[in-house]
Amino acid sequence: MSSHSIAFIGTGVMGRSMAGHLLKAGHTLHVFNRTKAKAEALLAAGAHWHDTAGAAAAQADFVFTIVGFPADVEATYFGPGGVLATARRGAVLVDMTTSSPLLARRIAEAATAKGLAALDAPVSGGDVGAREARLVIMVGGDAAAFARTKPLFEVMGKNIVLQGGPGAGQHCKMANQISIASIMMSWCEALTYAQKAGLDPARVIESIGGGAAASWSLNNLAPRALKGDFAPGFYVKHFLKDMRIALESAEAMKLDLPGLKQAKKLYDEVAARGWEESGTQALLKLYQAQG
């Protein structure tokens, strides 16, 4: 694979590992993050720091972004001196934030008008998937831009699928989050029930974690939660953001998704109890708070 000049904007829990893989693969890396301290390990490994997202983008053939919320995506791309204003003609812009499908289409339209290509490429796999370069990458956008970018995606993930045109990656990620929303409730309810019945929930996972009840969340997040480890592989506040986007998209399509609505209600309570900076496995605490 030939070496590229890459901008990576957003070096948080996920981004720092993803950017690190690109750097180790021999690419020149230009980084920006709102908190510079979160980029220090990348800088020590040879990445170049820039004071704004736009300044980093101006140096790159490929611009990757993974920030917090749709408002952050909008500011990063459309703000004064942002990515759309500064990116080199012919560059590929890749937003890996879980964001609004409508915003992804707006970015793609604006990029095309400026001689750029844009892909929406949200990911699944959490902090572990990012560290181990095993992310699922769901992509929307132009097939030619996808083909150009795929070798870079392969440095960060294993399951990489072009789902369709602009916004399709975000719609696929919404389907992922809708499924996870009910799965999180399912294992919390199962283990709360098991505990109330006098069973050791860790031992219950040994039995049900290999059968029809198995899920990635049961086998990875539940053991963390049982040990009192609520550190974020994926923040409650970000999951709530995703569920809001999914509900808005579902309502626009006149869909009623009762499982998603119930999960959102429970996670709103998790956040109200002050746990929004915890990992999504903090939902178990809410169930265990019952009498």
Side-chain angles (χ1 to χ4, degrees), residues 3-204:
S3 177
H4 295 288
S5 179
I6 296 173
F8 208 101
I9 295 152
T11 56
V13 170
M14 303 282 287
R16 76 173 67 110
S17 293
M18 296 159 71
H21 295 313
L22 292 168
L23 189 60
K24 284 176 195 163
H27 301 289
T28 302
L29 197 67
H30 300 270
V31 299
F32 168 74
N33 192 69
R34 282 184 300 191
T35 308
K36 188 176 180 180
K38 291 183 178 178
E40 290 295 352
L42 291 168
L43 300 179
H48 304 279
W49 172 258
H50 295 270
D51 290 329
T52 67
Q59 304 297 317
D61 308 311
F62 294 86
V63 180
F64 291 91
T65 56
I66 184 162
V67 294
F69 295 86
D72 301 317
V73 175
E74 181 140 12
T76 299
Y77 281 86
F78 291 99
V83 169
L84 284 162
T86 61
R88 296 174 179 174
R89 189 171 183 83
V92 181
L93 315 180
V94 187
D95 184 33
M96 305 188 82
T97 316
T98 298
S99 182
S100 155
L102 188 62
L103 178 55
R105 288 196 293 271
R106 277 182 55 213
I107 292 170
E109 287 164 10
T112 300
K114 289 179 173 283
L116 306 162
L119 300 171
D120 48 287
V123 301
S124 179
D127 58 333
V128 175
R131 278 199 308 273
E132 298 180 357
R134 289 191 293 100
L135 291 170
V136 175
I137 305 176
M138 300 157 255
V139 190
D142 175 70
F146 173 72
R148 283 176 61 196
T149 313
K150 194 175 181 191
L152 300 177
F153 286 144
E154 288 170 342
V155 173
M156 298 181 278
K158 297 294 183 198
N159 182 343
I160 303 146
V161 179
L162 179 63
Q163 293 290 336
Q170 297 295 356
H171 277 305
C172 184
K173 181 62 187 285
M174 288 303 107
N176 184 80
Q177 302 305 74
I178 290 163
S179 180
I180 288 172
S182 289
I183 288 169
M184 294 300 290
M185 291 189 295
S186 76
W187 68 256
C188 286
E189 292 186 4
L191 297 187
T192 301
Y193 172 89
Q195 205 159 22
K196 194 75 170 177
L199 305 179
D200 175 354
R203 193 170 292 179
V204 170

Side-chain angles (χ1 to χ4, degrees), residues 216-239:
W216 186 91
S217 298
L218 173 68
N219 288 318
N220 290 273
L221 296 181
R224 290 192 204 181
L226 291 174
K227 291 172 185 168
D229 177 3
F230 299 104
F234 187 57
Y235 287 103
V236 166
K237 63 183 179 181
H238 289 161
F239 195 31

